Amino acid sequence: MDIRLESISHHYDDFEVMRDITLDIADGQIVCIVGPSGCGKSTLLRFIGGLERPTSGRVLQLGEPPADCLNPLTYIFQDFALLPWRTVAGNVSLVLEDHGISGAEAKAIINDVLDRTRLTDFASALPKQLSGGMKQRVAIARALAVKPAVMLMDEPLSALDSQTRELLMDDLVDLWTRQPFTAVYVTHNLAEAVRLGHSIVVLSRRPGTIREIVHLDKPLADRHFGDADLDERQKYLWQLMRDEARAADAELIHV
Amino acid sequence: MSEASHKPNDPDRLKAGGVSNGTAVNFRGGGFAPKPRRWVGFVVFAGLIAIAEWGTRSGWISALTLPRPSDVLDTFKQLYSSGLLFKHLVPSLSRLAVGAAAGVTAGVIVGVLIGLFSYFRAGLVPLVAAIFPIPKIALLPLFVIWFGIDEGSKYALIAFGTFTPTVVATYGAVDNVDRTLIRMGQSFGLSWFSIVRKIVLPGAMPGILSGLRISLAIAIILLVAAEMLGAEYGIGAYILEAGSLYDLERLFAGVVILSVLGVVVSAVIGAIERYLLGWRN
Ligand SMILES: Nc1ncnc2c1ncn2[C@@H]1O[C@H](COP(=O)(O)OP(=O)(O)OP(=O)(O)O)[C@@H](O)[C@H]1O
Ligand SMILES: [Mg+2]
């Protein structure tokens, strides 16, 4: 299933957030969205996930999601959004219960996703007992459990320290290599973008428009921390964003 | 001065004790973190009772000022052996249970509605604010007319008294539920009812339970008030009768029962909290 954004514009009252964004998200690809603070990245992701409606323009699903897909558009949140009163397994089971999956069937799915995120030993732990990196892996396991057609990630690694971030990027690459998934990955971290993105969409400052789309052909599994060609791309991206970011930083906060 | 003496962590210098002639940094942390000290409560109780006993025995507290604790205990024993204790306690407890259960249930439902729906909030918050400060005891005659002189008016009084604090605690607690958890529920396609049952209610539970402590203390006060205004049996009736005869031993026996009831209720809520809110600590 592909996603197409058709000339999306949005404003809150007379506060223009983004202008005429047209973008195709192809099946099995990770699209990274980078841009200066406040340019509408999170808002754009909420449009794609159907949590908010743009003022004009449309978000289209092209083709049907796979038949076994329970929740085609699935979020992974920056702050994990785990229920603190449920165990790791309980948090995963939460999103299955409403689809009428329980008992042995649910157990099989839970075991499978916890295994894929290497959390099997922590199935009965509570979120407060886990480190930040493990919490985000639980959130990823929960997202995998509903077999999403597209994963929507809003700065999923921003709350983590840089070592944990490296580890989790490797995990995501592993997951993708074993079973490619479609993802829209919002980040302000250009290193993440060049490690995970098949294409990187650079937005201008508010009102957000697409400045450039950078394609990276190197397979995800071959990209590593500190690769010279990736660093080159990262420098190029930074040079694109630098002035925008400075101007965005100097703007008054809109409340 | 040699080059080596500038190295701040030179092992030889540290070993030789070369840096030990400073003053220790003053400790100024700690405090602000009460820890459980169970026995202290008992010591305070026992100390006060011992002083009262000693004072009444040695005569510097006259028998008219305060009854002797051992006499109160005797009265209590009589009350127990004559079977009157349960004759008074059972109706009181059932009034408390029925009234508080009705009031708390209605309060939680209305509180959740106020917490979730703009129109309920706009319509009911001022109403609750208007009802809250009314001394519910003043309305007892009205309740007697509406619900009869029997149990009905007592249930209604207790229910009404527990209702308002529960509403206020509940909608405050619902307001404080983490909105990102609710967005998460929506983004996974959970139904509205599932979100309320699995995210909003558990998230609001800490606030609801601490509201419950206050509501139930109010319920005990109203129970006694209602029983004083017309009941044959009940702790309130027992206290009223003792008071009108200036029988201080019996008055205090009744008061002790109320205090014990308060402690038991608070312990029960504590147990519920440990069971339901174990995820917090
Ligand atoms: N509900 C809202 N009402 C009014 N303004 C809003 C609302 N949501 C977002 N905005 C504004 O719209 C702009 C875009 O917000 P958005 O959160 O999408 O930015 P972002 O690119 O994700 O920023 P960041 O990098 O800080 O996460 C911001 O200036 C924000 O203040
Ligand atoms: Mg954002």
Side-chain angles (χ1 to χ4, degrees):
Chain A
M1 185 183 87
D2 294 0
I3 299 278
R4 170 171 297 162
L5 310 185
E6 263 184 12
S7 52
I8 297 211
S9 302
H10 190 66
H11 46 82
Y12 292 107
D13 300 324
D14 48 5
F15 180 78
E16 190 175 17
V17 179
M18 65 186 78
R19 186 186 292 169
D20 195 28
I21 293 197
T22 299
L23 181 67
D24 270 329
I25 295 149
D27 196 46
Q29 300 252 302
I30 300 180
V31 175
C32 287
I33 299 182
V34 298
S37 179
C39 73
K41 304 183 292 292
S42 302
T43 312
L44 192 62
L45 209 60
R46 284 200 294 277
F47 294 155
I48 302 176
L51 292 181
E52 212 175 310
R53 270 192 287 253
T55 317
S56 69
R58 300 188 298 170
V59 181
L60 300 175
Q61 292 183 14
L62 304 182
E64 286 300 308
D68 62 346
C69 170
L70 298 175
N71 189 46
L73 304 167
T74 297
Y75 269 91
I76 291 175
F77 296 86
Q78 176 175 356
D79 52 3
F80 324 127
L82 301 177
L83 301 186
W85 48 88
R86 287 199 178 215
T87 61
V88 168
N91 266 288
V92 178
S93 119
L94 172 81
V95 299
L96 298 174
E97 288 159 14
D98 263 45
H99 297 284
I101 298 175
S102 57
E105 197 187 351
K107 220 175 150 83
I109 296 178
I110 293 169
N111 287 341
D112 172 52
V113 296
L114 291 186
D115 182 49
R116 278 157 73 191
T117 46
R118 292 179 286 110
L119 285 166
T120 309
D121 293 341
F122 305 96
S124 53
L126 286 171
K128 65 162 189 247
Q129 299 171 289
L130 305 177
S131 68
M134 290 222 274
K135 282 184 197 155
Q136 195 55 292
R137 294 211 318 258
V138 177
I140 294 171
R142 176 177 64 187
L144 292 173
V146 291
K147 304 197 172 62
V150 180
M151 290 231 247
L152 306 173
M153 313 197 202
D154 193 356
E155 312 205 10
L157 308 186
S158 293
L160 307 176
D161 63 78
S162 58
Q163 288 90 340
T164 314
R165 206 179 293 169
E166 284 299 326
L167 294 174
L168 246 91
M169 274 197 267
D170 289 342
D171 285 351
L172 284 174
V173 169
D174 266 2
L175 278 173
W176 190 89
T177 315
R178 267 184 283 163
Q179 200 183 81
F181 53 85
T182 318
V184 183
Y185 188 108
V186 166
T187 181
H188 60 252
N189 184 321
L190 300 179
E192 284 172 31
V194 294
R195 280 287 290 287
L196 296 173
H198 293 100
S199 51
I200 300 166
V201 179
V202 182
L203 296 183
S204 69
R205 70 169 189 273
R206 195 179 56 77
T209 51
I210 295 182
R211 270 208 67 175
E212 191 167 330
I213 300 180
V214 176
H215 295 277
L216 299 181
D217 298 326
K218 192 172 180 182
L220 288 194
D222 298 345
R223 301 184 192 178
H224 297 289
F225 177 72
D227 281 356
D229 50 339
L230 294 185
D231 278 354
E232 202 54 45
R233 288 308 190 122
Q234 195 179 327
K235 276 200 196 106
Y236 174 69
L237 288 171
W238 173 231
Q239 171 234 312
L240 274 180
M241 279 179 61
R242 186 185 191 124
D243 297 333
E244 302 278 349
R246 180 170 294 143
D249 186 51
E251 269 178 20
L252 288 177
I253 303 283
H254 173 78
V255 274
Chain B
M1 221 189 247
S2 75
E3 182 79 327
S5 67
H6 287 295
K7 286 187 190 161
N9 282 317
D10 180 15
D12 292 336
R13 221 162 62 98
L14 288 178
K15 231 178 279 169
V19 285
S20 61
N21 53 0
T23 45
V25 169
N26 276 335
F27 177 67
R28 50 189 175 174
F32 298 100
K35 297 183 184 68
R37 295 273 185 269
R38 279 172 180 264
W39 48 270
V40 177
F42 291 108
V43 170
V44 171
F45 266 113
L48 286 176
I49 291 171
I51 290 171
E53 181 75 29
W54 172 60
T56 44
R57 274 182 196 278
S58 63
W60 60 268
I61 300 178
S62 85
L64 279 176
T65 325
L66 199 70
R68 192 175 291 173
S70 53
D71 288 346
V72 174
L73 188 67
D74 282 340
T75 316
F76 194 78
K77 277 182 192 154
Q78 273 171 27
L79 193 63
Y80 177 76
S81 55
S82 65
L84 270 178
L85 177 63
F86 291 102
K87 229 169 178 166
H88 288 297
L89 205 52
V90 169
S92 285
L93 287 181
S94 66
R95 282 165 197 151
L96 190 66
V98 173
V104 166
T105 310
V108 169
I109 292 172
V110 172
V112 169
L113 292 177
I114 291 179
L116 295 179
F117 297 106
S118 316
Y119 279 101
F120 276 99
R121 173 169 303 233
L124 293 181
V125 168
L127 188 64
V128 170
I131 296 174
F132 209 164
I134 301 175
K136 309 299 179 297
I137 300 163
L139 297 180
L140 189 63
L142 191 66
F143 285 141
V144 169
I145 297 171
W146 285 355
F147 302 103
I149 187 82
D150 297 330
E151 299 300 293
S153 57
K154 297 179 182 64
Y155 294 155
L157 183 73
I158 295 170
F160 201 46
T162 49
F163 173 74
T164 35
T166 308
V167 171
V168 173
T170 304
Y171 86 72
V174 171
D175 283 351
N176 278 331
V177 174
D178 190 349
R179 296 293 123 165
T180 58
L181 293 182
I182 295 177
R183 294 281 169 268
M184 182 276 293
Q186 291 177 323
S187 79
F188 278 97
L190 267 61
S191 66
W192 182 88
F193 193 69
S194 284
I195 291 178
V196 171
R197 193 162 61 88
K198 295 172 185 171
I199 299 177
V200 175
L201 279 182
M205 201 46 85
I208 294 177
L209 285 180
S210 59
L212 200 60
R213 277 183 193 279
I214 297 168
S215 310
L216 290 186
I218 293 175
I220 295 176
I221 296 173
L222 290 176
L223 165 75
V224 175
E227 288 178 343
M228 282 181 164
L229 289 172
E232 192 180 353
Y233 291 108
I235 300 162
Y238 177 77
I239 292 177
L240 185 72
E241 190 191 316
S244 56
L245 298 172
Y246 278 86
D247 186 342
L248 289 191
E249 280 86 18
R250 287 174 63 195
L251 181 77
F252 267 72
V255 169
V256 167
I257 295 175
L258 290 180
S259 298
V260 171
L261 195 59
V263 172
V264 168
V265 165
S266 155
V268 167
I269 296 177
I272 296 174
E273 277 180 342
R274 274 193 298 284
Y275 175 72
L276 284 181
L277 307 180
W279 52 271
R280 277 201 308 186
N281 30 46

